[in-house]
Amino acid sequence: MSAARTPATAPGRRSGPEERGRESRGGRRVRAVRLGPRSIAALVLVSAVGVVAFGWPLLAAPGSSLAHSSDAPWLFAALLPLLLAVVVATIADTGLGPKAVAMLGVLAAAGAALRPLGGGTAGIEPMFFLMVLSGRVLGPGFGFVLGAVSMFASALLTGGVGPWMPFQMLSMGWVAMGAGLLPRPEQLRGRGELVLLAGYGAVASLLYGTVMNLQGWPYIGQLTSSVSFAPGDPLHENLARFVAYCLATSLGWDLPRAVLTVVLTLALGGPVLKALRRATRRAAFDASAVFDAPGPGPARGAGELR
């Protein structure tokens, strides 16, 4: 009996997981999510709105009504979840297949489980190194969705639901997406790649704490303090207060988070990267099914039913 050729065995075709894996090892990066124009536009839009949502105290003109408004943080807290939902839906519509959804669920669950391990003690949050490594392997689109979903799941797990949650989701999405945008994903391997990811993880951990400070900083504007937000004051004065606020309140959390991310990346990054890349090759996210016409079947015997 001559069997029909499968895509993995047909000459000149490379559609099976093993062949896709060889192509990936040969230099072509396989990504779980292929960003199309709509996805990129949605990411740019939500990032731009996020910059305004975080930085409105510094961006608002001294004489504008926004600078003196106490409703601005709540407005952005209500707006960001809607935009994040639009971005996730757009990416899912343009390139998030069932295998990518399955990997997203596994990694998001792992990230949500890692976050409470430190219990917020001194900024120890081991989920950061997993988000950085996942974004590096799976690309910026998958990284953004993974960061946002992981933070949402961890908030539900730990009971940390509040107006700060959408800001955390957006910030973690930026962290993982930035790892996917790092240069030379195909050529740079081994220790050099781990050093690059460790350096990025340290900077991203510090920046995460800084931008999250912007989310909570305006709330202390009612307090008489040299580090509180003063509505309507010039930019340089509020910026100086914000820097002093970060040094006085959050640096003791941000630095340990950065150090832990570096240590975990250098110690565990190699095996985790190999496991993620192996899973990506086996999943063959961009493999397309190809069917050959079946060959002639065996001749029917005289006693076969017709």
Side-chain angles (χ1 to χ4, degrees):
M1 178 184 297
S2 62
R5 293 185 303 185
T6 62
T9 59
R13 293 178 181 170
R14 309 183 76 179
S15 302
E18 296 299 328
E19 286 71 17
R20 291 292 177 180
R22 294 191 192 102
E23 290 180 10
S24 178
R25 289 191 293 269
R28 189 177 61 84
R29 187 181 188 185
V30 178
R31 287 180 173 175
V33 175
R34 296 285 182 179
L35 291 179
R38 285 190 299 163
S39 302
I40 295 175
L43 280 173
V44 171
L45 173 62
V46 74
S47 296
V49 174
V51 170
V52 176
F54 278 111
W56 70 268
L58 301 176
L59 299 175
S64 67
S65 59
L66 180 62
H68 300 272
S69 173
S70 60
D71 299 329
W74 301 101
L75 173 63
F76 288 121
L79 179 62
L80 278 179
L82 299 177
L83 291 175
L84 286 170
V86 170
V87 171
V88 173
T90 302
I91 293 177
D93 180 57
T94 56
L96 200 61
K99 289 182 286 188
V101 170
M103 182 168 285
L104 175 65
V106 171
L107 292 176
L114 283 174
R115 191 182 180 205
L117 292 183
T121 305
I124 297 176
E125 296 183 59
M127 74 177 297
F128 273 75
F129 99 100
L130 179 62
M131 297 297 105
V132 171
L133 299 183
S134 300
R136 170 69 169 179
V137 173
L138 295 162
F142 187 94
F144 183 86
V145 176
L146 174 62
V149 172
S150 299
M151 192 58 72
F152 177 75
S154 67
L156 297 180
L157 184 64
T158 60
V161 178
W164 55 85
M165 186 182 71
F167 293 90
Q168 291 176 329
M169 293 171 61
L170 181 60
S171 299
M172 188 58 72
W174 283 340
V175 168
M177 181 177 69
L181 295 173
L182 291 175
R184 300 182 64 189
E186 288 81 19
Q187 292 81 14
L188 187 62
R189 289 288 189 269
R191 199 66 180 175
E193 183 179 33
L194 292 181
V195 171
L196 173 66
L197 294 176
Y200 171 80
V203 174
S205 299
L206 292 173
L207 290 178
Y208 175 88
T210 302
V211 298
M212 283 306 301
N213 284 339
L214 275 173
Q215 182 271 328
W217 181 49
Y219 291 115
I220 67 170
Q222 297 85 357
L223 304 177
T224 303
S225 171
S226 59
V227 298
S228 62
F229 171 60
D233 274 14
L235 171 62
H236 68 277
E237 294 183 9
N238 269 326
L239 185 59
R241 293 190 184 98
F242 177 68
V243 172
Y245 173 78
C246 292
L247 295 176
T249 61
S250 70
L251 191 61
W253 275 261
D254 297 339
L255 282 178
R257 182 193 301 121
V259 171
L260 179 65
T261 303
V262 171
V263 171
L264 291 178
T265 301
L266 295 178
L268 304 176
V272 174
L273 284 173
K274 289 180 181 177
L276 289 172
R277 284 177 173 137
R278 185 182 304 113
T280 302
R281 289 195 300 267
R282 289 182 178 274
F285 293 109
D286 57 353
S288 56
V290 179
F291 298 96
D292 285 348
R300 293 179 177 176
E304 288 184 348
L305 295 177
R306 297 181 179 271

